[in-house]
């Protein structure tokens, strides 16, 4: 995490000290110096206003009628999430130190300890990203694809074989981001984007032509008619 504000950060889901919210504004605030972020918090008890300071409206809180907006500085403790590629590498690539932590034996109950043969081979095989059929990236803080370099590398490493993409409980807020991910990967047939933070309108028709199964549960900002 860095104090460098990401580009196109308005509308991004963030976490600050374990509290989650969406960025509604970035810029100056009258009577202060420097740059501020206007956050609409998911927790209605967290905020202090609805995007107004000294009578001036800087942003609007749209997730509910509650007062839950705040201005904060862009500090190191803001978690902006990670890209699909970063999450995939973190999830599937095992380095030497992690291999050392893999169990050498497993509990065979009545038979006692059994040597765990091949655990390292399984871990290394999972690290072959271009062979993955299922990308299990639930709860990995994914917000999107990243810059053009990240997008090209994502397509090159993951696009050929991946058929199932699991992105439940991440930092996604726009359906256009999901459509971009699907277009970049190219061959996704099954997609789960449940428990994200999409805001209406939701154009679920803008998806890749090969997609035949979509799961979209537990998205608090959406009603059934929005889908």
């Amino acid at each position: 995490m860095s104090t460098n504000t990401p580009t196109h950060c308005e509308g991004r889901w963030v976490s600050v000290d374990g509290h989650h919210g969406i960025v509604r504004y970035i810029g100056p605030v009258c009577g202060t110096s420097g740059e501020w972020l206007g956050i609409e918090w998911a927790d209605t008890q967290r905020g202090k206003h609805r995007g107004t300071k000294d009578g001036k409206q800087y942003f609007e809180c749209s997730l509910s009628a509650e007062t839950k907006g705040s201005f904060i500085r862009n500090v190191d403790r803001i978690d902006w999430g990670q890209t699909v590629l970063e999450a995939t590498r973190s999830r599937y690539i095992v380095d030497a130190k992690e291999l050392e932590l893999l169990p050498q034996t497993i509990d065979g109950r009545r038979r006692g300890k059994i040597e765990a043969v091949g655990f390292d081979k399984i871990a290394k095989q999972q690290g072959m990203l271009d062979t993955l059929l299922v990308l299990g990236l639930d709860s990995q803080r994914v917000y999107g694809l990243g810059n053009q370099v990240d997008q090209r590398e994502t397509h090159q490493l993951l696009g050929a074989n991946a058929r199932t993409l699991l992105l439940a409980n991440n930092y996604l807020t726009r359906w256009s981001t999901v459509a971009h991910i699907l277009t970049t990967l190219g061959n996704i047939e099954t997609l789960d984007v449940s428990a994200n933070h999409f805001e209406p309108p939701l154009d679920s028709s803008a998806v890749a032509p090969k997609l035949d199964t979509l799961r979209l549960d537990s998205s608090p900002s959406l009603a059934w008619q929005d889908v």
Side-chain angles (χ1 to χ4, degrees):
M1 292 175 283
S2 170
T3 53
N4 294 324
T5 304
T7 57
H8 311 298
C9 72
E10 286 188 41
R12 289 271 297 269
W13 192 260
V14 295
S15 175
V16 185
D17 297 333
H19 298 278
H20 297 87
I22 190 168
V23 178
R24 296 295 188 195
Y25 172 79
I26 175 172
V29 173
C30 288
T32 68
S33 60
E35 186 177 78
W36 292 85
L37 300 178
I39 307 292
E40 179 179 356
W41 300 105
D43 181 358
T44 59
Q45 304 301 314
R46 176 75 173 171
K48 300 179 179 179
H49 51 72
R50 288 187 53 79
T52 301
K53 184 179 186 300
D54 297 333
K56 181 176 180 179
Q57 186 83 42
Y58 291 89
F59 64 93
E60 295 183 359
C61 295
S62 61
L63 294 182
S64 74
E66 302 291 341
T67 301
K68 53 181 183 176
S70 295
F71 291 106
I72 66 171
R73 296 288 190 182
N74 184 23
V75 292
D76 284 338
R77 67 180 187 274
I78 297 179
D79 177 12
W80 293 93
Q82 57 182 346
T83 66
V84 168
L85 186 58
E86 289 172 331
T88 303
R89 284 173 167 157
S90 174
R91 170 70 175 79
Y92 290 101
I93 293 180
V94 182
D95 60 27
K97 289 184 178 179
E98 289 175 309
L99 282 176
E100 292 177 358
L101 297 177
L102 289 175
Q104 301 303 310
T105 61
I106 57 177
D107 188 357
R109 296 180 181 270
R110 295 180 182 178
R111 297 180 181 180
K113 297 294 183 179
I114 300 174
E115 185 179 1
V117 178
F119 273 28
D120 59 337
K121 293 181 181 178
I122 294 172
K124 290 176 182 177
Q125 185 177 7
Q126 286 182 323
M128 299 172 63
L129 302 184
D130 57 351
T131 67
L132 293 173
L133 297 177
V134 178
L135 299 179
L137 304 180
D138 292 341
S139 304
Q140 296 295 310
R141 306 168 20 258
V142 173
Y143 72 85
L145 288 171
N147 59 35
Q148 291 185 349
V149 174
D150 293 330
Q151 293 170 29
R152 286 195 297 269
E153 194 170 359
T154 300
H155 174 73
Q156 292 167 358
L157 288 177
L158 306 176
N161 288 310
R163 295 295 186 272
T164 297
L165 179 59
L166 307 178
L167 282 173
N169 191 33
N170 276 291
Y171 283 17
L172 300 170
T173 60
R174 298 187 180 99
W175 188 255
S176 59
T177 301
V178 175
H180 193 192
I181 292 171
L182 294 176
T183 301
T184 299
L185 293 177
N187 293 304
I188 298 298
E189 299 169 354
T190 300
L191 173 68
D192 186 353
V193 286
S194 301
N196 275 283
H197 315 282
F198 299 113
E199 296 184 282
L202 182 68
D203 182 13
S204 57
S205 64
V207 296
K210 294 186 179 181
L211 187 70
D212 59 25
T213 303
L214 171 64
R215 183 171 183 177
L216 182 61
D217 301 330
S218 304
S219 294
S221 302
L222 296 178
W224 175 248
Q225 59 267 27
D226 297 320
V227 179

